[in-house]
Amino acid sequence: ANTKHQASTDGDTMGSDTNTDTSPPPTTWQESTSDLSSWLSSSSDASQSNKATTAKIEKACADILSSSTNNNDELPEAVRRSTTTIYLRALIKLGKYGAVVDYCRQREDGNNVEEEAYSLYRLRNYEACRQLCAANGGGNGRGLMHIYAQALYRLGETNEADAIYRQLLAGDENPAMMDADEREDALSNALANRTANYTPGSLLDATATNKKTWLEEDDFLQQLLASYGTSSNKENDEELLQNYDLAYNFGTYLLVSSDARDQSHVLGVRHLLEHAETSALTILESSSTSPEENEEDE
């Protein structure tokens, strides 16, 4: 798991010349920010967001960050910070994770720890990612907490990852700012962590007063099992589970830890997994384009 970071071979870390626009290049950072704003507006529209637009954003940011140095045109610190963040996230979107790590390590200002940690994670350098997160508080900000927990999970440090997910989902870090999708993602990842590293018999401790984990007591997961974990709820059979991946991870965890459960519970989990599979196949099929439609589009 400890893949060592290597310098990026994607080219100059300050961006590549992918802009085919024939208009005169901007000469000041103010002109570059004007171009950047228009491309950011375009990228916010999902129908127009593409790799070419992201590459333009990357180059515009690189021009802004380098122009103030080359032309003695002082760049305000607030502009520099925001431009750097946009630049690094454009690199991430383009898959240039090595370039992100290189750039952050060259600056050493500690302003973009989340982008560096995420890139280390995507490079599968989980140990370096873990160390970086831990050195910056680990639990300082939800984004970094998600990355830290995932790195710990990949390293097999189940209890440590579980503690961070529990803190995230308990709402200690600005609960009002966590939307339903983020919460479901965190629940799904927490369940994957528990499933991958489950120790048979760990829930059978005779001294334990409660053999359920905190995850099983989550209100949302309990409702999910109650609604879709029994064949008697016919009214839900035709309703698709949009969060089928979460249902799958929950059902899988309950099956893996079935040594602590009775037979009726296992049968309920089976029904939940069947419903998740049906929903996944239906949703994926409806979202894919048929070969005939592709030919018409061409």
Side-chain angles (χ1 to χ4, degrees), residues 156-178:
E157 299 183 14
T158 309
N159 292 334
E160 292 82 355
D162 190 70
I164 294 177
Y165 281 125
R166 187 172 189 176
Q167 182 184 352
L168 266 170
L169 291 162
D172 294 342
E173 297 292 323
N174 298 323
M177 296 180 64
M178 182 180 286

Side-chain angles (χ1 to χ4, degrees), residues 110 113 131-140 144:
V113 174
Q131 291 180 13
L132 179 63
C133 292
N136 286 273
N140 184 17
L144 197 61

